[in-house]
Amino acid sequence: MAREETTLSVPGPHGARDVRISSPSRVLWPEPGLTKLDLAHYLIRVQEAFLAANGDRPVSLQRFSGDIDGEQFFSKNPPKGTPDFIRSVPVVYPSGRSHPQLVLDEPAAVVWAAQMNTLVFHPWASRAGNPDNPDQLRIDLDPQPGTGFEEAVPAALELRSVLAEAGLTSFVKTSGNRGLHVFAPIRPDHEFLEVRHAVIAAARELERRMPDRVTTAWWKEERGQLVFVDYNQANRDRTMAGAYSPRPLPHAPVSCPLAWDELGAADPRSFTVLTVPARLEDRGDPWADMHSEPGTIDTLLGWWERDLEAGLGELPFPPDYPKMPGEPPRVQPSRARAKG
């Protein structure tokens, strides 16, 4: 039996490149019936905004062996057969090991990733030319059980005010699920740990202002029905779905940038692989000017030092991290009480 495949001519800065798509009719999202070829066409239509947000950065590819309910895995190193026009950059992981990581620079590279069954793109907060120093401050507002997108919206609006007081201009996007991601462009003057401390300072200030709505508690049993301000997304090699990246949920949602004035009335379920290309064509990219005037984290680092003097120290790191200086014990509070 002949193998099913097609070839797409993908325009780009170096001219059109032919990208082979095998199994183009494979259904990735069964509910709307979207196929692998549909995914490739989506990425071509949103290419300019997608690459502005995710290009020139180390990126991890979340790949699926079948549809969204199938086996999934992450690719960080360039897989065998990566085309010559796709580059990589060496990055240092929390373990201290260094490996090359993929970088997407042109539309054909993104379509090739779709050919490799990539559904979700996870870019680093730093550029390929300076991978140790982020140029984005990122905060994930993660609604806990009993809360949802409606609870994340006021938290994001207040976080915008907090960051503005620290001299930062912030941008917002849907997570593609129930949460919101707030980004602020920064000068790449500090390494990941310092940026993490700036994020913690902003998260603590937000928690002070909205103690009944948000929490910085790392342990799920302590969060309650609040919106978790996930400061650990600021760590080295911790990523979230990039802007305009699809998500592996039944209705094929997209992590979609929004203008702040549309956030209050936004329905995250309306931003999908089917609807976002037309939205971009009609409204443009709300993140188009994100990096035109990057700020500094100096004020936030001052808040971090202030909190240290007040007795508020380091917060827990992800479980896959080595033990970090000043980190509290990684023991679930209920277990610590039982042991005591």
Side-chain angles (χ1 to χ4, degrees):
M1 180 181 294
R3 186 176 181 182
E4 183 196 16
E5 64 177 50
T6 190
T7 299
L8 296 179
S9 179
V10 183
H14 307 290
R17 298 190 193 274
D18 289 340
V19 181
R20 182 180 65 89
I21 304 294
S22 62
S23 304
S25 62
R26 176 193 294 167
V27 175
L28 300 178
W29 287 275
E31 185 177 293
L34 292 173
T35 66
K36 188 174 178 180
L37 186 59
D38 292 327
L39 171 62
H41 284 307
Y42 164 78
L43 293 169
I44 291 172
R45 288 187 66 185
V46 302
Q47 58 178 278
E48 183 177 353
F50 181 95
L51 283 168
N54 305 303
D56 191 34
R57 299 180 183 277
V59 64
S60 299
L61 308 180
Q62 189 176 351
R63 299 165 59 190
F64 289 72
S65 59
D67 64 19
I68 60 171
D69 296 317
E71 180 183 356
Q72 57 181 286
F73 59 97
F74 283 83
S75 283
K76 297 183 179 182
N77 298 346
K80 184 178 179 180
T82 299
D84 292 340
F85 66 85
I86 298 178
R87 67 178 171 125
S88 61
V89 63
V91 298
V92 178
Y93 297 114
S95 64
R97 293 181 294 110
S98 178
H99 289 285
Q101 188 134 359
L102 289 161
V103 180
L104 304 176
D105 291 318
E106 60 174 283
V110 182
V111 175
W112 165 84
Q115 155 60 16
M116 299 298 290
N117 303 311
T118 302
L119 267 66
V120 191
F121 297 79
H122 297 262
W124 277 40
S126 55
R127 298 280 181 176
N130 187 7
D132 293 322
N133 288 23
D135 71 340
Q136 291 175 338
L137 181 146
R138 301 174 171 181
I139 300 179
D140 180 11
L141 297 175
D142 183 12
Q144 298 303 289
T147 65
F149 187 80
E150 289 184 0
E151 286 74 23
V153 168
L157 292 170
E158 187 61 35
L159 178 57
R160 182 192 187 193
S161 297
V162 169
L163 294 175
E165 289 177 25
L168 296 175
T169 301
S170 54
F171 296 77
V172 67
K173 68 182 179 74
T174 66
S175 68
N177 196 356
R178 301 184 308 134
L180 286 166
H181 298 159
V182 176
F183 284 30
I186 58 175
R187 297 174 192 167
D189 298 333
H190 300 272
E191 52 83 33
F192 276 92
L193 185 60
E194 292 174 305
V195 175
R196 166 196 161 89
H197 289 162
V199 167
I200 290 175
R204 282 174 167 158
E205 183 61 27
L206 180 63
E207 188 177 33
R208 290 187 190 101
R209 300 183 185 192
M210 307 182 76
D212 298 326
R213 296 192 179 191
V214 305
T215 180
T216 60
W218 174 248
W219 300 101
K220 291 183 179 180
E221 64 184 46
E222 295 185 328
R223 293 177 190 170
Q225 293 185 359
L226 303 174
V227 175
F228 173 49
V229 189
D230 190 352
Y231 55 86
N232 266 330
Q233 293 293 355
N235 286 331
R236 178 185 295 270
D237 194 33
R238 302 295 285 195
T239 57
M240 56 185 76
Y244 300 106
S245 173
R247 300 303 306 274
L249 295 171
H251 61 292
V254 167
S255 181
C256 186
L258 303 176
W260 282 106
D261 62 5
E262 63 180 329
L263 179 59
D267 175 5
R269 291 184 57 86
S270 68
F271 308 117
T272 73
V273 169
L274 290 171
T275 64
V276 165
R279 169 185 161 84
L280 260 176
E281 292 165 6
D282 293 341
R283 300 180 61 101
D285 179 13
W287 283 20
D289 297 325
M290 175 184 282
H291 287 279
S292 61
E293 295 184 12
T296 76
I297 61 171
D298 294 346
T299 296
L300 290 177
L301 290 179
W303 294 1
W304 164 261
E305 293 296 333
R306 174 202 65 193
D307 288 345
L308 281 181
E309 293 177 3
L312 297 175
E314 188 60 89
L315 292 176
F317 283 77
D320 58 329
Y321 261 57
K323 183 66 176 178
M324 301 296 287
E327 182 185 4
R330 294 184 190 175
V331 181
Q332 190 173 344
S334 58
R335 292 185 179 181
R337 290 193 296 268
K339 185 176 179 180

